[in-house]
Amino acid sequence: NAGVTQTPKFQVLKTGQSMTLQCAQDMNHNSMYWYRQDPGMGLRLIYYSASEGTTDKGEVPNGYNVSRLNKREFSLRLESAAPSQTSVYFCASSEWLREKLFFGSGTQLSVL
Amino acid sequence: KQEVTQIPAALSVPEGENLVLNCSFTDSAIYNLQWFRQDPGKGLTSLLLIQSSQREQTSGRLNASLDKSSGRSTLYIAASQPGDSATYLCAVRPVGGTYKYIFGTGTRLKVLA
């Protein structure tokens, strides 16, 4: 049982480049989330998807877009990367919005 | 605005000691609270989830308590082991507003052999 799988694990981008972070879960969960983790700031919610077909902004959505491709997959896209987006990104899922969160292992992104 | 605080930021204890990690939150209107463990370079693993109507939850050597009225939760670890070394984070799910958990910045625990 893989749980929540994120790819890639590491990525280095130049300012202005674009990329998509992929996330898939195999637990048949309805809700999925993208967080970023920065030193001293805890985890902050970027976007979430309460259920298949819906997406909503979280706390820090600027500079990002998401796609809930199907029930299993939730991708995060950086259209024009900026150094301020250097962070560790985590995907998470839960059965519904108030339930236990399951996290992926993270993507360490550096924007030069 | 809900804020979650975890003090201390770091803690070192000798193996075998019982210890308590603290989590404080500013607004008692929450659906639940979760405690997570994060190992270096890894994702978060949910340890315990306490619903707002519950006072505590137990899993093995871990016991989490919740006092909503005072805005406090504690994670008790019995007979600590070096394998317990990790960062422990708490998160609350506020009532109303956007559907998100508010995370504390964590307590980095080191258990010395």
Side-chain angles (χ1 to χ4, degrees):
Chain A
N1 212 359
V4 180
T5 303
Q6 287 183 240
T7 56
K9 291 192 183 302
F10 301 94
Q11 184 72 48
V12 178
L13 293 177
K14 294 181 180 177
T15 298
Q17 288 185 317
S18 62
M19 78 160 297
T20 300
L21 307 183
Q22 307 286 353
C23 175
Q25 52 90 10
D26 62 3
M27 296 173 283
N28 201 34
H29 284 170
N30 293 287
S31 303
M32 298 186 73
Y33 315 79
W34 278 104
Y35 287 89
R36 59 179 289 174
Q37 185 176 36
D38 301 291
M41 301 195 71
L43 275 86
R44 293 179 292 169
L45 183 65
I46 305 170
Y47 271 93
Y48 68 98
S49 171
S51 61
E52 185 179 359
T54 69
T55 61
D56 284 285
K57 295 178 181 179
E59 196 177 349
V60 288
N62 291 343
Y64 306 94
N65 284 302
V66 291
S67 296
R68 183 74 183 265
L69 304 171
N70 48 54
K71 192 173 185 179
R72 289 188 64 248
E73 298 172 287
F74 188 39
S75 63
L76 178 72
R77 182 160 179 83
L78 287 70
E79 291 291 351
S80 179
S84 61
Q85 294 178 305
T86 293
S87 187
V88 181
Y89 291 85
F90 289 101
C91 178
S93 70
S94 62
E95 190 166 355
W96 287 110
L97 288 169
R98 302 178 199 173
E99 305 297 326
K100 190 172 177 179
L101 287 173
F102 292 80
F103 280 81
S105 57
T107 296
Q108 189 163 334
L109 175 67
S110 294
V111 182
L112 306 177
Chain B
K1 178 186 174 186
Q2 178 73 268
E3 293 182 359
V4 180
T5 304
Q6 293 183 251
I7 296 173
L11 180 64
S12 288
V13 300
E15 182 177 6
E17 190 164 300
N18 301 325
L19 61 100
V20 173
L21 304 180
N22 297 300
C23 174
S24 301
F25 47 97
T26 53
D27 189 338
S28 62
I30 62 170
Y31 284 119
N32 59 46
L33 181 146
Q34 291 193 53
W35 280 94
F36 296 87
R37 168 185 174 136
Q38 185 175 26
D39 293 287
K42 300 288 178 62
L44 283 72
T45 300
S46 181
L47 298 172
L48 291 163
L49 183 151
I50 312 178
Q51 302 293 350
S52 61
S53 58
Q54 297 175 317
R55 297 285 292 180
E56 63 180 79
Q57 281 285 334
T58 298
S59 176
R61 295 184 293 109
L62 305 179
N63 176 277
S65 68
L66 175 64
D67 184 342
K68 255 195 346 174
S69 61
S70 67
R72 297 175 69 176
S73 176
T74 61
L75 179 67
Y76 174 83
I77 302 176
S80 59
Q81 303 169 359
D84 294 329
S85 298
T87 297
Y88 292 81
L89 298 97
C90 67
V92 299
R93 169 68 172 88
V95 172
T98 56
Y99 294 103
K100 65 178 182 180
Y101 280 88
I102 309 295
F103 282 82
T105 52
T107 295
R108 190 169 63 253
L109 173 67
K110 187 166 186 178
V111 180
L112 305 170

